[in-house]
Amino acid sequence: ELLAAVDRTTYDLSCVLPSGSDAYLQAVAQHTSDITVFPYQWWSKARPFDYEAVGRFEETFRRARPDLVHVNTITLMDPLLAAKRLHVPSIVHARELVSHDEELAAQFGENPSGVVRMVRGASDFIIANSDTTHVLCGKQSRSFRLYNSVALDLFDVPNLPEPGKLRVGIGSINQL
């Protein structure tokens, strides 16, 4: 959805993915001029970056010659380091509220303020998907808020319940 929202008459998109099914790669290919697939992982205090992955991102960026690198999560450090080494501006699209998610902070092996410090230090700009994320992750004059969007037409479906039956779907996240 993010790729589909970009104006392809103005921007030429390349995409790097850690994996993908054939169907997903075909869907992404409709919105990009180039897809590169190689394994990479989340960063952590114990493994702040992976030399091999940073090198592969550098190779990819040299080939694609991007004007900007957009990382769609705070969980990836390798593409940010590669962009910095090649003097390519980078944006992190911060969606995670690490200050409200102890399990996520534990995966980083870092306290929330340390995670934010790492992300701010590695990126040039930050896009935050909410006011709360913006307050948490924002960089003075180098960040902005861009709310997640919803394609409302996808929810315009008939509601035809069977008489005498009520079906309820519940979605949640349960943390203790």
Side-chain angles (χ1 to χ4, degrees):
E1 292 172 352
L2 181 64
L3 295 171
V6 175
D7 179 359
R8 293 287 309 278
T9 62
T10 304
Y11 301 99
D12 182 28
L13 299 177
S14 296
C15 190
V16 181
L17 300 168
S19 64
S21 67
D22 288 340
Y24 184 72
L25 294 175
Q26 289 174 6
V28 168
Q30 294 176 30
H31 307 288
T32 63
S33 59
D34 181 53
I35 300 172
T36 303
V37 179
F38 61 83
Y40 51 89
Q41 301 174 18
W42 288 17
W43 71 273
S44 70
K45 188 174 183 178
R47 192 201 64 80
F49 59 90
D50 176 335
Y51 284 109
E52 184 177 336
V54 172
R56 293 196 67 183
F57 276 108
E58 284 183 18
E59 290 171 22
T60 301
F61 297 162
R62 278 191 195 95
R63 186 183 72 247
R65 301 180 56 212
D67 296 309
L68 179 69
V69 169
H70 176 273
V71 176
N72 202 29
T73 176
I74 67 170
T75 64
L76 300 177
M77 194 59 58
D78 300 335
L80 298 172
L81 296 176
K84 192 171 286 292
R85 287 172 64 167
L86 296 175
H87 307 288
V88 178
S90 64
I91 293 176
V92 168
H93 203 136
R95 302 168 183 285
E96 302 84 357
L97 281 172
V98 69
S99 63
H100 293 73
D101 190 336
E102 291 178 18
E103 289 180 32
L104 180 60
Q107 285 189 311
F108 286 117
E110 181 68 86
N111 63 47
S113 62
V115 172
V116 170
R117 191 172 38 258
M118 288 287 291
V119 172
R120 283 181 181 159
S123 63
D124 295 299
F125 299 93
I126 294 181
I127 299 171
N129 72 339
S130 69
D131 289 334
T132 304
T133 308
H134 195 217
V135 168
L136 176 66
C137 295
K139 293 175 77 157
Q140 189 172 9
S141 77
R142 299 186 68 82
S143 65
F144 59 95
R145 184 191 62 247
L146 178 64
Y147 291 119
N148 292 335
S149 61
V150 175
L152 293 176
D153 58 318
L154 295 177
F155 296 94
D156 188 16
V157 295
N159 184 12
L160 306 170
E162 293 178 38
K165 286 190 175 184
L166 176 63
R167 291 189 178 146
V168 177
I170 299 174
S172 74
I173 184 166
N174 299 311
Q175 297 177 342
L176 301 175

